[in-house]
């Protein structure tokens, strides 16, 4: 859940303050800060939508907020430490304006529950990822002077009927969530505990949301889920109960390849992305569907975590390196110009130098376009924490991580060079960060492209750009 950057190692540590232009008569103000994955960003948009019906507009000015919401991440220890440090800053805010209420949402809220209220005295409200519909009641409790908490996980909640308020939007690309939760139980991962069991959203509500985005002139949607390839709609309910469904229900089920096909067919003018794919659920059908539709972006984020079969088994990733390479070969066969990106974990329990070398070897095989790389951070409550020892010294983890990042940097440079001299289609997102005389956009492969304005294009336009130069993170060119 991702940005195209090879430099950012810990991409998810920075909180993002989220606002939207809202011209409603709402009087109260909510300040929302979001940490972690794209799913969290999208959840914040759902929360903004729920709160706008309760009289709240978003604000970017912390001091004028009646309600401060922090959407938190638990994926690594550092993500939690960042949020705890951030909470300390609210001390002076509360002194200035004691009526300001502070709420924590998201994965930390779910993981720590009422302990968060005990440990963080400044916090008034704790809300888990499946409980956002209850916010109006929780806020009522706050207004009555009580602390409030709801961390119930749900078997059905997909917020299917709630149209997110697009926060910090460039007006060009938007997130649309298609699944919630995850059943995969990778032994290092806290997500199944904080986001609950996996469930899919009714495809008709997904199409409806994209229709609305199309009317508002959005040109790109990213279909979101912890594990999108495992998407399965058979009338509602948990993924794990599908086997028990009657035969006629099974016949009509919509899987991810079918959903992609439906979206790509109905919206030929919209570029479609998706994230994240788990190799064990990734099917040849998805690759074929991508090859069939020009408007499905040629990029697959396919985290592998390690290049060693022994470590993959310990991580409970249900595929081997050979099977993973097979998927890569198929992607290259059906979609030769497809970008592939990774997530890697350095220094998982018992990882030897030999295992680490296997990771580097796999990277050499794939030559990923970009990636997100992390040192293993043991998470309380996971199978990894219960049954395995966090036995790799910190400095060894960091050294291995550095080697992985350096190799990725080299491969990114190699992949970006391949675009030189080629003409690529770019969807313009807005001004380049460094110069108002240049546009910034992305090509189908998700590479950032910067080029001079000619005065004849605007954000949201698809334009042809000939690439003349590159760094490992950016392509430069000119319109043709
Ligand atoms: N399916 C998810 C992946 C979960 S989190 C998604 O949609 O993005 C993203 C990445 O964080 C994982 O792929 C993994 O590389 C990393 N990660 C998860 N738990 C971790 C841990 N305990 N320590 C270090 N990295 C971790
Ligand atoms: Fe986590 Fe594995 Fe699911 S990384 S989100 S348990 S696919």
């Amino acid at each position: 859940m991702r940005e195209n950057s090879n430099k950012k190692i810990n991409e998810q540590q920075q909180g993002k303050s989220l606002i939207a232009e809202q011209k409603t008569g709402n009087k109260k103000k909510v300040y929302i800060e979001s940490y972690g994955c794209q799913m969290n960003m999208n959840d914040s948009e759902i929360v903004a939508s729920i709160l706008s019906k309760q009289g709240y507009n978003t604000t970017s000015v912390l001091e004028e907020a009646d309600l401060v919401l922090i959407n938190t991440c638990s994926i690594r220890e550092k993500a939690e430490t960042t949020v705890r440090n951030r909470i300390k800053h609210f001390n002076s805010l509360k002194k200035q304006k004691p009526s300001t209420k502070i709420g924590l949402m998201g994965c930390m809220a779910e993981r720590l529950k009422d302990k968060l209220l005990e440990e963080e005295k400044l916090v008034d409200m704790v809300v888990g990822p499946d409980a956002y519909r209850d916010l109006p009641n929780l806020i009522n409790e706050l207004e009555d002077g009580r602390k409030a908490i709801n961390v119930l996980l749900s078997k059905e909640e997909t917020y299917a009927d709630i149209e997110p308020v697009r926060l910090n939007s460039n007006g060009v690309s938007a997130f649309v969530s298609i699944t919630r939760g995850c059943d995969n139980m990778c032994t290092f991962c806290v997500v199944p505990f904080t986001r609950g069991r996996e469930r899919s959203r009714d495809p008709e509500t997904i199409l409806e949301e994209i229709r609305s985005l199309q009317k508002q002139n959005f040109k790109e949607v990213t279909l979101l889920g912890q594990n999108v390839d495992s998407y399965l709609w058979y009338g509602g309910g948990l993924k794990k109960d599908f086997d028990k469904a009657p035969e006629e229900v099974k016949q009509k089920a919509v899987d991810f390849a079918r959903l992609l096909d439906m979206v790509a067919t109905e919206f030929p003018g919209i570029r479609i992305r998706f994230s994240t794919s788990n190799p064990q659920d990734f099917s040849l059908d998805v690759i074929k569907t991508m090859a069939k539709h020009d408007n499905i972006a040629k990029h697959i984020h396919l985290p592998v975590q390690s290049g060693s079969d022994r470590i993959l088994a310990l991580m409970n990733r249900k595929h081997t390196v050979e099977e993973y390479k097979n998927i890569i070969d198929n992607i290259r066969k059906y979609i030769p110009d497809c970008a592939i990106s990774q997530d890697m974990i350095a220094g998982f329990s018992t990882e030897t130098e030999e295992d680490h070398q296997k990771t580097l070897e796999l990277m050499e095989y794939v030559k990923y376009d970009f990636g997100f790389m992390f040192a293993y951070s043991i998470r309380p409550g996971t199978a990894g924490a219960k049954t395995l020892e966090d036995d790799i010294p910190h400095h060894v983890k960091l050294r291995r991580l550095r080697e992985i990042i350096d190799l990725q940097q080299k491969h990114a440079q190699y992949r970006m060079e391949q675009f030189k001299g080629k003409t690529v289609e770019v969807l313009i997102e807005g001004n380049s960060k460094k110069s108002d005389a240049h546009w910034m956009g992305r090509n189908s492969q998700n590479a950032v492209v910067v080029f001079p304005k000619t005065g004849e294009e605007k954000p949201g336009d698809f334009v042809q750009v000939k690439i003349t130069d590159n760094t490992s993170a950016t392509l430069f060119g000119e319109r043709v």
Side-chain angles (χ1 to χ4, degrees):
M1 304 193 128
R2 325 268 151 202
E3 257 180 83
N4 181 2
S5 163
N6 288 293
K7 291 205 187 89
K8 283 194 202 162
I9 306 160
N10 289 316
E11 87 285 13
Q12 297 163 347
Q13 307 302 356
Q14 208 69 42
K16 212 171 179 182
S17 125
L18 301 175
I19 52 158
E21 269 186 43
Q22 287 164 305
K23 293 189 188 71
T24 59
N26 284 344
K27 293 262 160 46
K28 288 182 276 186
K29 293 208 158 63
V30 57
Y31 172 93
I32 308 181
E33 204 167 272
S34 224
Y35 292 79
C37 62
Q38 291 166 323
M39 200 75 181
N40 255 12
M41 300 293 162
N42 190 232
D43 280 359
S44 293
E45 298 184 323
I46 287 166
V47 165
S49 175
I50 293 170
L51 290 181
S52 75
K53 295 187 182 68
Q54 298 301 309
Y56 284 89
N57 268 3
T58 53
T59 174
S60 61
V61 185
L62 187 57
E63 289 71 24
E64 66 177 38
D66 302 289
L67 177 63
V68 173
L69 291 177
I70 309 295
N71 200 352
T72 61
C73 173
S74 283
I75 200 80
R76 285 166 288 276
E77 193 183 353
K78 189 156 176 254
E80 293 201 356
T81 316
T82 308
V83 166
R84 289 200 190 254
N85 289 336
R86 182 69 177 132
I87 296 169
K88 293 196 184 93
H89 284 279
F90 300 142
N91 209 351
S92 57
L93 181 77
K94 279 250 189 180
K95 273 193 189 132
Q96 265 173 33
K97 195 175 158 198
S99 64
T100 310
K101 301 293 179 196
I102 293 172
L104 292 198
M105 334 185 274
C107 288
M108 255 177 105
E110 192 61 50
R111 193 178 86 73
L112 294 160
K113 305 186 170 55
D114 48 358
K115 249 170 67 189
L116 253 187
L117 286 176
E118 281 161 34
E119 291 170 5
E120 302 289 348
K121 299 290 178 219
L122 292 171
V123 172
D124 303 292
M125 175 170 73
V126 168
V127 200
D130 284 349
Y132 298 144
R133 269 184 217 272
D134 195 31
L135 273 166
N137 299 322
L138 296 169
I139 290 171
N140 278 344
E141 283 190 45
L142 294 184
E143 284 169 356
D144 289 348
R146 288 190 297 271
K147 298 224 168 189
I149 179 165
N150 187 342
V151 288
L152 285 178
L153 285 172
S154 158
K155 289 181 179 163
E156 289 98 26
E157 183 62 272
T158 57
Y159 300 109
D161 56 316
I162 295 178
E163 179 154 3
V165 170
R166 306 292 162 184
L167 299 172
N168 287 21
S169 172
N170 57 13
V172 175
S173 48
F175 301 130
V176 174
S177 70
I178 66 164
T179 70
R180 293 184 74 83
C182 185
D183 286 349
N184 278 344
M185 290 292 176
C186 302
T187 54
F188 53 82
C189 186
V190 78
V191 169
F193 303 93
T194 61
R195 287 186 162 271
R197 298 279 70 80
E198 186 177 311
R199 60 224 105 114
S200 296
R201 179 177 172 189
D202 182 342
E204 193 41 51
T205 67
I206 296 170
L207 293 171
E208 200 46 56
E209 189 173 326
I210 304 175
R211 280 176 205 131
S212 163
L213 287 166
Q214 188 179 38
K215 277 193 205 117
Q216 298 165 64
N217 260 324
F218 280 84
K219 295 293 169 56
E220 185 177 80
V221 297
T222 304
L223 306 178
L224 283 185
Q226 301 301 333
N227 182 13
V228 283
D229 297 270
S230 157
Y231 177 89
L232 187 64
W233 174 259
Y234 63 102
L238 294 179
K239 164 90 185 240
K240 70 177 180 56
D241 295 334
F242 176 68
D243 287 344
K244 290 181 226 145
E247 208 42 52
E248 67 270 22
V249 170
K250 283 187 183 166
Q251 301 270 313
K252 281 193 234 143
V254 177
D255 66 5
F256 183 57
R258 177 87 192 95
L259 178 73
L260 257 187
D261 190 60
M262 285 160 73
V263 175
T265 305
E266 181 170 337
F267 305 100
I270 291 186
R271 189 193 263 173
I272 297 136
R273 299 189 180 281
F274 56 88
S275 186
T276 297
S277 299
N278 185 313
Q280 77 199 39
D281 296 301
F282 197 78
S283 70
L284 193 57
D285 276 353
V286 168
I287 300 178
K288 287 183 178 167
T289 308
M290 290 178 74
K292 189 172 124 192
H293 293 279
D294 279 345
N295 59 331
I296 303 180
K298 302 299 174 265
H299 166 224
I300 301 169
H301 185 61
L302 202 61
V304 67
Q305 320 297 356
S306 167
S308 152
D309 281 336
R310 194 182 66 82
I311 295 294
L312 287 178
L314 281 180
M315 287 176 163
N316 195 30
R317 306 282 289 187
K318 298 206 172 69
H319 63 84
T320 62
V321 173
E322 214 40 53
E323 284 162 340
Y324 184 81
K325 285 182 171 172
N326 231 327
I327 300 176
I328 301 292
D329 294 347
N330 275 324
I331 296 171
R332 302 263 186 249
K333 178 171 149 201
Y334 287 93
I335 322 167
D337 59 344
C338 194
I340 303 174
S341 53
Q342 44 86 348
D343 289 350
M344 292 287 184
I345 296 179
F348 188 66
S349 305
T350 77
E351 187 188 71
T352 61
E353 286 306 322
E354 202 187 337
D355 294 318
H356 171 59
Q357 285 308 320
K358 287 182 179 162
T359 296
L360 299 177
E361 278 163 31
L362 178 62
M363 289 177 73
E364 278 297 356
Y365 185 84
V366 184
K367 293 194 175 57
Y368 294 97
D369 292 68
F370 59 97
F372 300 89
M373 297 146 283
F374 315 96
Y376 177 49
S377 162
I378 194 163
R379 306 309 293 132
T382 59
K386 284 183 190 153
T387 61
L388 299 163
E389 221 184 306
D390 186 14
D391 56 353
I392 309 301
H394 190 58
H395 71 275
V396 176
K397 284 183 188 171
L398 289 188
R399 195 252 306 145
R400 290 179 190 166
L401 178 62
R402 180 39 60 200
E403 288 173 13
I404 291 172
I405 291 169
D406 287 347
L407 186 58
Q408 182 51 53
Q409 189 78 16
K410 196 177 109 190
H411 291 156
Q413 175 67 25
Y414 166 78
R415 287 290 173 205
M416 295 295 260
E417 271 168 17
Q418 308 307 305
F419 287 111
K420 241 191 213 167
K422 294 202 175 118
T423 297
V424 300
E425 185 179 67
V426 178
L427 173 59
I428 305 178
E429 292 181 17
N431 285 339
S432 144
K433 263 187 234 142
K434 289 191 183 143
S435 144
D436 284 354
H438 290 74
W439 292 118
M440 172 270 170
R442 281 164 212 270
N443 68 2
S444 177
Q445 286 79 3
N446 209 25
V448 171
V449 183
V450 170
F451 62 97
K453 296 180 178 176
T454 72
E456 280 168 23
E457 63 281 299
K458 58 182 187 315
D461 287 350
F462 287 97
V463 294
Q464 301 293 319
V465 176
K466 183 164 184 188
I467 303 305
T468 52
D469 204 358
N470 73 283
T471 65
S472 63
T474 312
L475 298 174
F476 301 95
E478 275 173 22
R479 271 196 77 175
V480 288

